[in-house]
Amino acid sequence: MDDSSWKDFASHLAELARNLLAQESVQDTLDLIVDNAVRLVDGCDYAGILTVEGGRKVRTLASTHQLVRESDAAQEEYAQGPCFDAARKRNEIYRIKDMTTKVEQWHRYAPQARQLGIGSMMGILLYTEDDNLGALDMYAAEPRTFTQESEQAGWLLASHAAVALSSARSHAQLATALESRSEIGEALGILMERYKVSEAEAFAVLRKSSQDQNVKLRDIARRVTETGEIPGAR
């Protein structure tokens, strides 16, 4: 890209950063990231975000095309691939210029990628400091599409996206914690009123039901508030 193109990219990236922070949910944030990867990174036909759990299990968090999900499934099956390794090994960027030739580093995944119609691809780690949030994966139908400039643009996009995604996840976790606290408090009040017990005794009842039923405490509390019944109680 020339200087003018980089200025346009910087302007669009600044606008995206503001829009990402304004999203109402984590999923909205994820979807906006992949949509803008296609819009802003030269040569990117499809994009997605995956995570690798337990060193092997792949989850597709967002995608712009079914090809992305099929690629993620192949990377899980063969336990290798640019996006798989970017998330699992915490390497910042992998770029394959030409997937139509023999790719030694991902010799099992590459043939499947070719069958899917992938000509070149990049896997870029999403992170904020030591927080691994998975990988942003970008695909081009034609080989030799992604250049050093594409890589730089993708890395800049991923860096902004990681901050916004971390913020969205933190807000979602806080909202869930507050909701759980409210439900547990309501359930404690019901038990204290019905059985004339102290708060500590009511909490012990909820905790025992949670352990006996192997169900999260907040779910037990929700059952109590919705039905008035304690799961597993006699």
Side-chain angles (χ1 to χ4, degrees):
M1 291 190 289
D2 56 25
D3 289 344
S4 177
S5 297
W6 276 115
K7 287 179 180 178
D8 288 341
F9 176 81
S11 177
H12 290 312
L13 195 60
E15 179 184 1
L16 172 62
R18 290 191 292 270
N19 289 338
L20 284 171
L21 292 174
Q23 298 307 299
E24 295 184 355
S25 70
V26 173
Q27 190 60 53
D28 288 342
T29 304
L30 292 165
D31 292 339
L32 190 59
I33 292 169
V34 295
D35 288 344
N36 277 272
V38 175
R39 185 169 73 95
L40 297 179
V41 179
D42 285 348
C44 181
D45 295 317
Y46 317 111
I49 294 174
L50 65 74
T51 57
V52 179
E53 301 173 353
R56 178 66 186 260
K57 178 64 178 177
V58 172
R59 289 182 59 214
T60 305
L61 302 184
S63 66
T64 63
H65 194 275
Q66 180 60 28
L67 175 147
V68 175
R69 296 183 176 277
E70 293 175 357
S71 171
D72 289 352
Q75 291 186 76
E76 178 181 42
E77 179 180 356
Y78 299 115
Q80 62 174 225
C83 312
F84 181 91
D85 285 355
R88 187 171 63 93
K89 297 181 179 180
R90 294 177 178 254
N91 282 5
E92 287 191 9
I93 302 176
Y94 287 106
R95 173 164 58 100
I96 301 177
K97 295 180 180 179
D98 190 348
M99 188 65 76
T100 63
T101 61
K102 188 174 183 180
V103 181
E104 291 291 347
Q105 188 170 2
W106 298 291
H107 61 282
R108 289 179 295 174
Y109 165 74
Q112 182 63 33
R114 287 194 289 272
Q115 291 184 22
L116 292 174
I118 299 170
S120 53
M121 61 185 294
M122 294 192 295
I124 303 178
L125 180 66
L126 287 176
Y127 67 96
T128 51
E129 297 180 356
D130 294 330
D131 188 13
N132 180 3
L133 304 178
L136 171 64
D137 40 311
M138 287 175 275
Y139 299 87
E142 298 297 326
R144 301 187 178 278
T145 297
F146 292 128
T147 64
Q148 186 67 38
E149 290 181 332
S150 301
E151 184 176 309
Q152 185 176 359
W155 181 82
L156 289 169
L157 170 64
S159 298
H160 280 76
V163 174
L165 184 53
S166 178
S167 177
R169 286 166 53 125
S170 295
H171 281 103
Q173 290 167 355
L174 177 59
T176 299
L178 291 174
E179 181 181 357
S180 298
R181 181 176 179 180
S182 176
E183 289 177 336
I184 292 171
E186 186 177 351
L188 290 175
I190 291 172
L191 296 181
M192 291 167 66
E193 174 65 25
R194 177 175 298 177
Y195 300 107
K196 308 303 179 186
V197 296
S198 68
E199 182 176 352
E201 291 170 326
F203 184 78
V205 171
L206 288 180
R207 185 172 59 184
K208 185 175 187 307
S209 177
S210 172
Q211 293 171 343
D212 291 346
Q213 300 295 310
N214 193 27
V215 175
K216 292 181 179 179
L217 185 64
R218 68 184 183 191
D219 294 331
I220 295 293
R222 185 178 298 117
R223 289 278 298 277
V224 172
T225 59
E226 291 175 349
T227 68
E229 303 296 329
I230 306 170
R234 297 178 180 177

